[in-house]
Amino acid sequence: MSATIADVTRRIAAGEVTAEGLVDDAFARIGTIDPHLGAFLALDERGARQTARAIDKARSANEPLGPLAGVPIALKDNLVTKDLATTAGSRILEGWLPPYDAHVVEKLRAAGAIIIGKTNLDEFGMGSSTERSAFKPTKNPWDLSLVPGGSSGGSAAAVAANLCVASLGTDTGGSIRQPASFCGVVGLKPTYGRVSRWGVIAYASSLDQVGPITKTVADAAHLLQVIAGHDPRDATSLPTAVPNFAAALEAGVDGLRIGLPREYFGEGIDPGVRAALDETIEALRANGATIVDISLPHTHLALPAYYLVAPAEASSNLARYDGVRFGKRVEGVDLLDMYKRSRGAGFGPEVKRRIMLGTYALRAGYYDAYYKRAQQVRALIKRDFDEAFTRCDVIFTPVAPTPAFAFGAKANPVDMYLADVFTLSCNLAGLPGLSVPCGFTKAGLPVGAQLLGKPLDEATLLRTGAAIERWADITETPPGVATLEPKPDQGTQPS
Ligand code: GLN
């Protein structure tokens, strides 16, 4: 597997490579591969070089280096970046230059990370395939005829194709974990409140969370360490101490109680996914974990509850895009007409569908029947987990019912919504969730296992994930990307 955060920081500290050299390599590789992959919406070559030079200078002067010094990182394009175009995958924000950096971006910069660009996503994070980006679809590095998953599809594809060392995504209902699974990389959705949402373009504020997408579990721990922690600018950010996530990574699974929820292993799971998960469960058992049969009885209500709560919050969050303060404006005969034209032209069909669903659910007289009831279901789902965690330390499930699917395969919106059936509950309950590659289907597509943990117990997820990753070593270059790599006699060879 190509460079991890651990490799890069070590090589930079040892003087084996320069940050500027890494930036050169990254942009050369992006130039060759990304025109065919479509992972990036914007690149910041100038900013990246500037940071790289500063790091190389600091190193030559023997100044202390940050924990991500010289590491090329990509950001999902719903994380705002000062003076670097941020669109959230929507025409309505085309041309907007944010006046500030998101909290997580400030943290990355302070740690010495090199921000190389912004990655593609389904518009405002609404989707599971990156096909709903207003600009272009992203392709799956394992097979260019398949989707990379979504909504953080660009972030997952960029890491899998080695266009960057790591990336950040956001996860409202699965958008970090599902693309990580489809692209054979690691994705971590932290506990709600673990990472500040300040500067994250809001989709559904009570569900949204930022997290790392990386090549290894250790890298996910490293990146979470940098971005986690209290931020008074986000009222839901938890004022809780951040543990050392790397500490328990090597502890293995001996003595851990791992719960398998019956409701997640029923009909409708692709046989290749099922086989990879079964093998992983056997390996967990063989390495000393106790496998516990558990039940999360309200699982079947997660999807309908999510598709009320998320669109309701989205309809309210997206009210701010009115043609006045941000992005696109289409003039009209009067103010109302201008609003209508701007929103009509600026939002794509899926976003409009969500706004209509959400506005309907929040209508006077309907609030109790829809939003309030969905919130009550949410409490039941949370209670299921509380109960289950009295009997186990970690919950093990599929990330998604299928591996990566073909473009256009889920044209019906409900089929697309069903792609998230196993990831939504985690957000409704505010829990941490990790997606870790655990094997392949017969066709050679990566399969992810999902680990769900107690609130604030990312450490146990990372520990379990690190064990799974050791057995299911995914080290090859994704074959779709391999076909795009320059031949040795064609000049620039990516590092
Ligand atoms: N696919 C889900 C949705 O469309 C989840 C997206 C996300 O996590 N941002 O809402």
Side-chain angles (χ1 to χ4, degrees):
M1 163 102 43
S2 43
T4 62
I5 296 179
D7 299 332
V8 168
T9 47
R10 184 184 44 75
R11 289 168 69 201
I12 290 217
E16 290 169 25
V17 288
T18 62
E20 200 171 1
L22 290 176
V23 167
D24 287 341
D25 289 350
F27 283 103
R29 190 167 166 85
I30 290 170
T32 313
I33 289 175
D34 206 46
H36 308 279
L37 198 67
F40 283 92
L41 288 176
L43 294 170
D44 185 15
E45 201 163 338
R46 240 190 60 195
R49 272 181 210 290
Q50 240 170 30
T51 313
R53 282 192 204 115
I55 285 164
D56 290 335
K57 222 170 112 197
R59 207 204 78 80
S60 328
N62 275 327
E63 287 166 22
L65 297 177
L68 289 174
V71 180
I73 287 190
L75 302 172
K76 187 176 183 179
D77 200 29
N78 61 353
L79 302 170
V80 308
T81 41
K82 186 168 172 12
D83 298 330
L84 176 60
T86 301
T87 64
S90 183
R91 296 258 172 228
I92 208 151
L93 279 174
E94 219 175 350
W96 181 53
L97 288 181
Y100 68 105
D101 276 332
H103 177 83
V104 289
V105 178
E106 290 176 351
K107 289 269 199 176
L108 290 181
R109 290 197 200 280
I114 301 180
I115 310 295
I116 56 169
K118 308 295 292 290
T119 57
N120 197 21
L121 67 156
D122 293 292
E123 191 172 353
F124 286 103
M126 298 175 188
S128 312
S129 67
T130 323
E131 290 167 288
R132 306 284 175 261
S133 162
F135 302 105
K136 60 184 177 188
T138 298
K139 303 199 171 122
N140 190 310
W142 291 82
D143 178 340
L144 303 176
S145 71
L146 304 180
V147 303
S151 63
S152 313
S155 285
V159 173
N162 196 28
L163 305 185
C164 57
V165 173
S167 64
L168 292 184
T170 62
D171 191 312
T172 304
S175 279
I176 288 175
R177 290 159 286 155
Q178 185 256 24
S181 168
F182 282 15
C183 292
V185 292
V186 175
L188 174 62
K189 177 215 135 4
T191 308
Y192 186 76
R194 179 63 102 182
V195 178
S196 168
R197 290 179 297 110
W198 196 76
V200 180
I201 295 180
Y203 162 15
S205 311
S206 75
L207 303 163
D208 298 340
Q209 193 61 194
V210 187
I213 298 181
T214 56
K215 294 170 190 166
T216 63
V217 173
D219 278 4
H222 193 107
L223 205 42
L224 180 63
Q225 200 75 50
V226 170
I227 62 171
H230 183 236
D231 171 20
R233 296 169 298 188
D234 170 2
T236 62
S237 156
L238 296 168
T240 319
V242 178
N244 178 357
F245 294 115
L249 275 181
E250 302 298 321
V253 295
D254 193 17
L256 271 187
R257 296 170 305 165
I258 299 182
L260 302 187
R262 265 165 251 163
E263 294 79 3
Y264 284 66
F265 289 90
E267 299 285 287
I269 301 181
D270 174 273
V273 170
R274 183 71 210 232
L277 294 171
D278 285 345
E279 267 183 44
T280 310
I281 294 166
E282 277 324 302
L284 288 165
R285 204 194 306 267
N287 282 273
T290 308
I291 305 296
V292 189
D293 172 43
I294 58 166
S295 174
L296 298 166
H298 296 94
T299 297
H300 64 291
L301 298 177
L303 196 121
Y306 175 88
Y307 278 99
L308 279 166
V309 172
E313 294 183 12
S315 73
S316 157
N317 275 325
L318 269 49
R320 75 190 73 183
Y321 305 107
D322 54 7
V324 178
R325 283 165 300 173
F326 313 93
K328 196 179 190 74
R329 171 185 298 196
V330 181
E331 297 301 342
V333 292
D334 56 22
L335 184 66
L336 187 63
D337 192 43
M338 187 278 283
Y339 286 163
K340 284 187 186 164
R341 286 172 189 266
S342 299
R343 288 170 68 84
F347 290 134
E350 183 60 28
V351 174
K352 287 177 183 161
R353 178 179 300 117
R354 305 281 180 111
I355 292 174
M356 284 188 279
L357 278 171
T359 310
Y360 184 88
L362 291 175
R363 240 167 10 145
Y366 286 76
Y367 179 88
D368 284 1
Y370 294 117
Y371 192 74
K372 191 168 156 210
R373 270 190 97 194
Q375 292 290 26
Q376 287 164 340
V377 167
R378 205 169 164 177
L380 293 174
I381 288 171
K382 175 83 176 72
R383 203 182 303 161
D384 283 356
F385 280 109
D386 292 344
E387 173 66 25
F389 281 124
T390 63
R391 306 188 45 231
C392 63
D393 308 303
V394 179
I395 295 175
F396 178 100
T397 79
V399 177
T402 66
F405 47 84
F407 288 94
K410 304 208 185 277
N412 178 331
V414 176
D415 289 342
M416 190 70 86
Y417 300 170
L418 282 165
D420 304 316
V421 61
F422 299 139
T423 46
L424 303 167
S425 294
C426 166
N427 302 72
L428 290 167
L431 306 175
L434 179 72
S435 170
V436 59
C438 73
F440 294 95
T441 63
K442 280 214 179 71
L445 293 175
V447 176
Q450 174 172 247
L451 301 169
L452 302 175
K454 297 175 194 169
L456 296 173
D457 193 17
E458 288 88 358
T460 305
L461 299 187
L462 292 163
R463 166 184 167 192
T464 315
I468 294 176
E469 151 187 86
R470 276 195 289 277
W471 315 318
D473 193 21
I474 299 201
T475 50
E476 58 182 296
T477 300
V481 162
T483 63
L484 304 173
E485 289 183 344
K487 306 285 172 291
D489 56 353
Q490 283 180 347
T492 339
Q493 183 63 350
S495 65

